[in-house]
Amino acid sequence: MNTRSLSNLSLYLLRLLLQVNFNASVLFVLIVSVFSMAGSELFFENSEDLYGPLANNLRFVLLYLCLMQLAVYGFYQFKNNYAGVVCLGAFLLLLIASLEFYGSVNQIEIDPNYQALFLYAGLSHLLYGGLCILRKSDG
């Protein structure tokens, strides 16, 4: 009985930690997107190769990501449904490979901070949403 309450407490603390991390990742993605759209190079160094026809492509991707992030977060908050969170996490992880492909097709170097952002946010979304879905199905 005591080990069961200890297990429930550790699971609760894990969920709380993942929830704080998830909310921090949502906020971080939004802040990075706004700064990038404003032209700041605080988070990403957009190389000179991104001028011309490729100008602002990655900034627009971040704008769309920001809007999608707001929509999924709103859905999660209002419906208490974690499926969107898990799907967005998987999508963010797929963006890592997509950026590599984009860079190789256009023969440009993409700032590695994009991959780090998508890895952090994607894993945060997947872990938190996945744990919440597992907890819902257990109880």
Side-chain angles (χ1 to χ4, degrees):
M1 179 120 149
N2 194 15
T3 56
R4 185 177 190 122
S5 63
L6 184 61
S7 174
N8 285 340
L9 177 64
S10 60
L11 194 56
Y12 172 77
L13 289 175
L14 177 64
R15 182 174 181 222
L16 183 64
L17 179 67
L18 288 175
Q19 184 177 15
V20 167
N21 184 55
F22 165 71
N23 287 316
S25 74
V26 168
L27 198 59
F28 187 64
V29 167
L30 296 176
I31 289 170
V32 166
S33 298
V34 168
F35 271 73
S36 184
M37 282 303 297
S40 171
E41 291 197 3
L42 180 64
F43 297 103
F44 306 115
E45 291 182 24
N46 291 319
S47 68
E48 7 184 279
D49 295 337
L50 292 175
Y51 293 111
L54 301 177
N56 297 323
N57 279 359
L58 293 177
R59 287 187 179 140
F60 282 121
V61 166
L62 284 176
L63 173 66
Y64 297 140
L65 180 62
C66 182
L67 295 175
M68 188 171 50
Q69 180 73 57
L70 288 173
V72 168
Y73 193 78
F75 178 73
Y76 148 74
Q77 287 292 332
F78 289 120
K79 298 288 186 177
N80 203 22
N81 189 325
Y82 302 97
V85 173
V86 171
C87 289
L88 182 57
F91 176 76
L92 290 170
L93 292 176
L94 288 174
L95 276 178
I96 296 170
S98 300
L99 270 180
E100 287 295 319
F101 180 72
Y102 177 82
S104 66
V105 165
N106 291 301
Q107 298 173 349
I108 56 173
E109 189 174 330
I110 304 293
D111 189 340
N113 289 336
Y114 282 104
Q115 284 98 353
L117 171 71
F118 295 144
L119 180 65
Y120 167 63
L123 287 178
S124 296
H125 285 62
L126 267 179
L127 291 174
Y128 174 64
L131 180 68
C132 290
I133 287 174
L134 287 175
R135 290 283 296 159
K136 257 187 171 178
S137 67
D138 285 346

